[in-house]
Amino acid sequence: MPIEEIRRRLGLRPVINVSGTMTGLGASIVVPDAVEAVAAILTEFVEMGDLQRRASTVIADLTGAEAGFVTASCSAAISLAVAACMTGPDLVAIERLPDTAGLKDEVVIQSGHMVSYGAPIEQAIRIAGAKVVPVGQATSAAAYQLAGALTENTAAAVYVVSHHVVGYAQIPLKIFAEVAHARNVPVIVDAASEYDLEGFLADGADLVLYSGHKFLGGPTSGIVAGSKARVRDVYLQNRGIGRGMKVGKEGIVGAVAALQAWKTRDHDGIRARERKALDCWVEALDGRPGIIAEIAPDPTKNPLDRLKVSVNPAGSGAQVERDGRHVLRGAPARTGSGDPEMAGLIYQVSQTAIPFYTRLEKDVRTNDQDSGPNRSDANCGA
């Protein structure tokens, strides 16, 4: 089946993604190396343990960790990592979860990190049977509050790195890890969409969790990195609650191929193309009544920029409303099933500021009929 026909054959509209690697939009464009690897392994039998050992070698090479493995998603990795911190390698305890009788079962997390990435992170923690213990308030947290939340029943401390979290007055990871480690509490870092593959372990994390299908451009998967003992305990959860979160051979091979491709990717070239596309949007939106477009850096310091489109209350109400819909849902209007839909961060509309992000892994095809920011004469994404 020709690639360009797959969405049409399934009755799906083309999507011009200006939201970034969002799960609801299919996450990422999978890199060619991963596509090739997945296609090759699908027709073969393989010993999954050996495949995970190969994945561990690649993960360790890129992250500086002692070991790693691939699971179904980063959300699954959160649940498995929490479970591992409660059970250790005890197979009886692993099979008994989510019953935590006799186990340390409290997990601390800053209130400002209790976000939803499509589901509440607290739920990913509770799935393992753990109890969530908030630290501080949503708008601030301090080291003394973390220390006060740690008890003899604390199994783990979860730290979230994301543009979703409160971006100020939170405990830095180094201090968070120092306080937790003083009480022998392991630190789990949820770094699902972060480009930094080494810094979180260097700053004190015991386990770092990534999405394989976000910035890496692999198939749906989660990546766990850490010490051999910690990773072993997480991997053993596949004999318990992790059974329903198992990853297939294609997920493992695809994630490994994406990691290997990451080492040789032209990161500077990709960022230059992404920035050129954002500059095009700024130019296209310039002068529209009620619309202010500006380029903003990524809030977690990833090497990418975002387009912030603000709705100016002083502008023309009708023009703002019309252009706001145009910016969010795209051009042209829905005149047929083949018209492309441009998906932005719809949930941000009520805040009057709409962030956009471009991820260009392949050439962007535009419609010559487009009259909006993605019109072909604007040379976006070239």
Side-chain angles (χ1 to χ4, degrees):
M1 181 185 298
I3 293 177
E4 62 270 16
E5 294 183 11
I6 181 65
R7 290 184 294 197
R8 184 177 298 118
R9 290 196 182 192
L10 293 174
L12 303 174
R13 287 169 54 83
V15 174
I16 299 172
N17 179 10
V18 292
S19 290
T21 52
M22 307 291 285
T23 299
L25 295 174
S28 185
I29 299 296
V30 177
V31 296
D33 298 41
V35 172
E36 181 180 350
V38 168
I41 201 67
L42 283 173
T43 57
E44 305 294 335
F45 292 109
V46 64
E47 293 183 85
M48 296 294 282
D50 287 345
L51 187 55
Q52 286 282 20
R53 277 187 279 274
R54 172 58 181 156
S56 179
T57 300
V58 174
I59 293 168
D61 178 49
L62 266 80
T63 64
E66 291 181 356
F69 86 99
V70 179
T71 186
S73 66
C74 192
S75 183
I78 295 169
S79 300
L80 300 182
V82 167
C85 290
M86 293 191 294
T87 67
D90 185 341
L91 296 180
V92 173
I94 289 170
E95 292 179 356
R96 196 172 65 235
L97 290 182
D99 180 352
T100 60
L103 301 175
K104 295 181 178 181
D105 63 356
E106 294 179 358
V107 175
V108 297
I109 180 173
Q110 295 180 82
S111 294
H113 287 196
M114 293 171 63
V115 299
S116 174
Y117 45 78
I121 191 169
E122 308 96 276
Q123 187 174 46
I125 294 170
R126 292 198 306 267
I127 284 174
K131 299 173 184 174
V132 176
V133 179
V135 174
Q137 294 76 43
T139 54
S140 66
Y144 76 89
Q145 292 172 317
L146 173 60
L150 301 175
T151 72
E152 66 275 6
N153 291 319
T154 304
V158 170
Y159 192 96
V160 182
V161 183
S162 168
H163 64 277
H164 291 299
V165 305
V166 174
Y168 56 89
Q170 303 299 300
I171 307 170
L173 176 56
K174 283 185 178 181
I175 296 175
F176 188 90
E178 288 173 2
V179 173
H181 290 162
R183 298 288 295 273
N184 295 316
V185 173
V187 173
I188 302 167
V189 171
D190 169 13
S193 297
E194 301 308 301
Y195 283 48
D196 188 348
L197 294 176
E198 297 180 339
F200 305 118
L201 287 170
D203 283 348
D206 297 283
L207 290 165
V208 182
L209 319 175
Y210 297 95
S211 286
H213 53 282
K214 298 281 179 120
F215 67 96
L216 285 171
T220 301
S221 53
I223 295 169
V224 179
S227 69
K228 287 183 179 179
R230 292 288 181 192
V231 171
R232 174 205 60 201
D233 295 347
V234 181
Y235 182 71
L236 286 173
Q237 304 305 315
N238 287 304
R239 300 180 61 166
I241 65 167
R243 179 65 178 179
M245 307 172 191
K246 65 182 179 181
V247 64
K249 58 189 178 184
E250 65 278 5
I252 301 171
V253 165
V256 167
L259 281 165
Q260 292 172 321
W262 182 257
K263 290 185 67 174
T264 59
R265 188 178 300 180
D266 180 9
H267 296 283
D268 291 338
I270 290 173
R271 185 174 190 184
R273 294 203 312 275
E274 292 175 344
R275 180 57 185 254
K276 186 175 181 180
L278 293 181
D279 288 339
C280 166
W281 278 72
V282 171
E283 180 182 350
L285 292 171
D286 183 46
R288 293 179 182 244
I291 298 293
I292 300 174
E294 56 187 332
I295 294 177
D298 182 73
T300 59
K301 296 181 174 60
N302 284 316
L304 57 91
D305 300 299
R306 298 171 186 264
L307 178 69
K308 180 180 178 181
V309 179
S310 301
V311 179
N312 185 356
S316 167
Q319 184 72 26
V320 168
E321 183 179 1
R322 183 165 63 253
D323 274 1
R325 282 201 303 268
H326 181 82
V327 167
L328 287 170
R329 303 308 301 174
R334 294 189 180 208
T335 57
S337 61
D339 293 334
E341 173 161 345
M342 183 170 63
L345 299 184
I346 310 301
Y347 68 90
Q348 293 277 1
V349 175
S350 62
Q351 300 179 21
T352 72
I354 311 158
F356 289 91
Y357 162 77
T358 181
R359 179 75 185 273
L360 303 174
E361 295 294 352
K362 62 178 182 180
D363 291 339
V364 175
R365 297 178 177 85
T366 56
N367 188 324
D368 289 339
Q369 306 269 329
D370 287 359
S371 59
N374 59 320
R375 63 182 184 269
S376 59
D377 63 348
N379 296 318
C380 285

